[in-house]
Amino acid sequence: MEGYQVSNQCQALVKDEILVPTKDAPELGYVIESSDEKYVPDVFFKEMDKYKNEIKKVGRPLPVEYLLIDVPVSSPLQPLATFSILGGDRKNFAVGNRLLESSLQDFNSFAQYMAQFRSAEFLTAVSDIHVLVFMATLD
């Protein structure tokens, strides 16, 4: 897995409406030009040419990859549930926002999870944060 986020400079450029998206190329942004109403400083980026020389270019268009920061991402070898540790053969509810088939949150997985508990164990069943978030956001 890889994680990215935009830099603080990118956030500031978008907030001040200096950096706008391009219509036909999602990998490029466009730095607007100055007008009588709004001064926009030039935004530059450096690029290597075919002879390995660094060339400074104006950000019209600006590759979005210059505005991204790598975020370290990892997953534990042995996941540890922090809200509810279920004993026996009971399985934890799927974690949300995971693009794994084993971690899909839908009504069927919710029903299978709840079927593991008797009605007297309702408090134990909903002691899982992922169940609570799923129930709160269920349409």
Side-chain angles (χ1 to χ4, degrees), residues 41-59:
D42 287 333
V43 177
F44 295 97
F45 67 97
K46 291 184 180 179
E47 192 174 59
M48 294 283 221
D49 66 0
K50 63 182 179 181
Y51 302 110
K52 305 286 185 192
N53 298 321
E54 270 191 4
I55 299 174
K56 190 187 284 188
K57 291 186 167 185
V58 178

Side-chain angles (χ1 to χ4, degrees), residues 1 9 16 22 37 40 51 62 64-65 69 72 87 93-94 115 118 133 136:
M1 292 195 312
Q9 290 87 354
D16 294 335
T22 58
E37 298 89 32
V40 177
Y51 302 110
L62 174 67
V64 175
E65 64 190 22
I69 298 172
F93 190 66
R118 296 174 300 166
V133 171

Side-chain angles (χ1 to χ4, degrees), residues 9-30:
Q9 290 87 354
C10 178
Q11 291 178 18
L13 289 171
V14 171
K15 185 180 114 190
D16 294 335
E17 297 177 355
I18 293 173
L19 180 67
V20 295
T22 58
K23 292 181 181 178
D24 56 344
E27 71 276 3
L28 298 173
Y30 188 81

